[in-house]
Amino acid sequence: LERVESLLEDIVNNRTGLTQAREEIAAIVQMRTTYPAWMLVAAKGLLGFWVSVLFGGNIYEALAAGATTTSVDLAMRGVWKLRWPYFFSQVAGAMVCGIAALLVMWSRSIGVWNVMMSPSLIVSAGMISMLAGLSFTTAVRDAMDGYVITASARLVDAITLTGGIVLGLTMTLWVGLTLGIPAYLSPSLGASPVLWLQVLASPLIAMTFGVNTHLSPRNLALAGGFGLLTFTINRLGSEFLSSASAQAGLAAFTVALVAQSLNRLVRVPTIALVSASVISLVPGLALYRGLLGLVQEGQGLVVTVDSSALLFQALLIAVMLAFGASFGAIAGRPLSMPADWNARLALAKAW
């Protein structure tokens, strides 16, 4: 995508002829992936590790989260190699998350593992890695730009894949509870995030996700900077905004505005930077806790959290992230206009 946008810029500014453009397009289509498969899997594991650290997990929780996220990625790749639809990859990944949660609860119940570990922190990392790949933001942006057909298609795709996550996780938790595994869901996580660790984790989360979206090595540091900006804005927003969804929306808007404004300078697709930077705000934790609460309620167990409120909060955060990122990108367009005046006029008419 970086090379395509660079080629378009060269064409608009008459730096590339038709023959050369065709050769460049052919080279882009045939180019190999930026990173080998083993590095992508390792990056997913590091993503899970640092997400757990961001939420205040201890070293055991962080290692378990990294192992879970790695297992999720391997399971999804295995299903994909069978040529099954991507929906089933999401189901398989969510089942791995559910199995990880049940294993932690079961091992603690029989005394095999006495270390304090939160299944919510461990599983949320895997959930975030799956939810982050969905196309809610691009669907909202297409709708705002008037591309109703593509927006509808992207939205249906995102909803369907989210349904795969819900199906896989709910089914696994239900089977585990039916077999008698004692599940527990505390009102609070019990974790105390350390600020300097969060400052360290936020850019590393963005960079590891950037590896999986094939950002070039020179742009990984840029993605890390935007990840730190997202955390900073979200942290400052918490001082005067009580709603987690409003904080997420403000952070997404700010990051998208800055990324779009710098588009001509850094020549990196805005959506790539925004997706990497806001991944730490994806509501995987709320989704897992809400679904586990619903499963417990369905089996007549006492639940100490409001499951419906958690699920609604997850939905609201996802919507605010999408709208905030889309508004920010649109607001930043006038600041990233191409140098060619004909292209500027064409873009102005398109708006």
Side-chain angles (χ1 to χ4, degrees):
L1 188 56
E2 291 178 43
R3 290 184 63 177
V4 170
E5 288 202 355
S6 177
L7 176 60
L8 289 175
E9 182 76 15
D10 290 340
I11 293 173
V12 168
N13 293 311
N14 298 318
R15 292 193 295 263
T16 300
L18 179 60
T19 303
Q20 186 178 356
R22 286 176 174 172
E23 294 175 353
E24 179 66 15
I25 284 292
I28 291 173
V29 171
Q30 297 175 3
M31 68 183 295
R32 301 178 62 182
T33 56
T34 309
Y35 305 102
W38 67 266
M39 187 176 293
L40 300 179
V41 175
K44 276 292 178 70
L46 289 173
L47 171 65
F49 180 92
W50 289 112
V51 165
S52 180
V53 171
L54 182 71
F55 291 151
N58 57 41
I59 185 62
Y60 300 106
E61 290 166 331
L63 290 173
T68 300
T69 309
T70 302
S71 301
V72 167
D73 190 58
L74 292 174
M76 294 178 69
R77 287 174 180 271
V79 174
W80 181 249
K81 286 183 179 179
L82 296 175
R83 304 299 181 187
W84 287 16
Y86 193 62
F87 172 85
F88 294 103
S89 294
Q90 295 287 93
V91 174
M95 290 179 68
V96 172
C97 288
I99 291 171
L102 293 172
L103 283 175
V104 172
M105 297 182 216
W106 174 76
S107 61
R108 288 195 60 186
S109 67
I110 64 175
V112 173
W113 185 257
N114 294 320
V115 177
M116 288 297 296
M117 294 177 65
S118 169
S120 298
L121 282 178
I122 295 170
V123 174
S124 63
M127 299 288 290
I128 286 174
S129 69
M130 290 186 291
L131 289 169
L134 304 185
S135 53
F136 280 112
T137 301
T138 48
V140 171
R141 186 184 303 181
D142 284 346
M144 290 180 175
D145 287 336
Y147 305 124
V148 181
I149 295 178
T150 55
S152 301
R154 290 182 188 275
L155 186 60
V156 170
D157 177 67
I159 293 174
T160 302
L161 295 181
T162 303
I165 297 174
V166 172
L167 174 63
L169 183 61
T170 305
M171 182 171 58
T172 306
L173 293 175
W174 180 84
V175 171
L177 295 182
T178 302
L179 294 176
I181 295 178
Y184 54 88
L185 186 60
S186 60
S188 62
L189 290 178
S192 301
V194 180
L195 180 58
W196 72 267
L197 284 176
Q198 289 183 306
V199 171
L200 175 64
S202 53
L204 291 174
I205 290 171
M207 293 173 70
T208 53
F209 185 76
V211 170
N212 275 274
T213 56
H214 299 281
L215 276 178
S216 61
R218 73 178 181 87
N219 290 324
L220 288 180
L222 185 63
F226 274 90
L228 182 58
L229 175 62
T230 300
F231 171 76
T232 303
I233 298 299
N234 189 61
R235 180 88 178 186
L236 293 175
S238 64
E239 299 296 327
F240 57 89
L241 293 174
S242 58
S243 170
S245 59
Q247 298 166 22
L250 175 63
F253 173 84
T254 305
V255 170
L257 176 64
V258 175
Q260 184 65 45
S261 302
L262 298 176
N263 184 264
R264 281 189 60 204
L265 178 63
V266 299
R267 306 187 78 173
V268 180
T270 303
I271 187 64
L273 290 177
V274 173
S275 298
S277 60
V278 303
I279 182 176
S280 59
L281 303 180
V282 172
L285 185 60
L287 179 61
Y288 162 73
R289 289 167 61 82
L291 289 176
L292 177 57
L294 284 182
V295 173
Q296 288 178 310
E297 290 174 3
Q299 296 206 346
L301 302 175
V302 177
V303 182
T304 55
V305 299
D306 190 340
S307 305
S308 299
L310 283 172
L311 291 176
F312 181 73
Q313 181 189 41
L315 175 62
L316 200 57
I317 291 175
V319 170
M320 290 299 291
L321 283 175
F323 275 94
S326 299
F327 274 125
I330 291 174
R333 283 177 181 172
L335 302 175
S336 60
M337 294 286 279
D340 183 75
W341 277 100
N342 290 327
R344 290 192 178 195
L345 292 175
L347 281 176
K349 289 180 180 179
W351 295 345

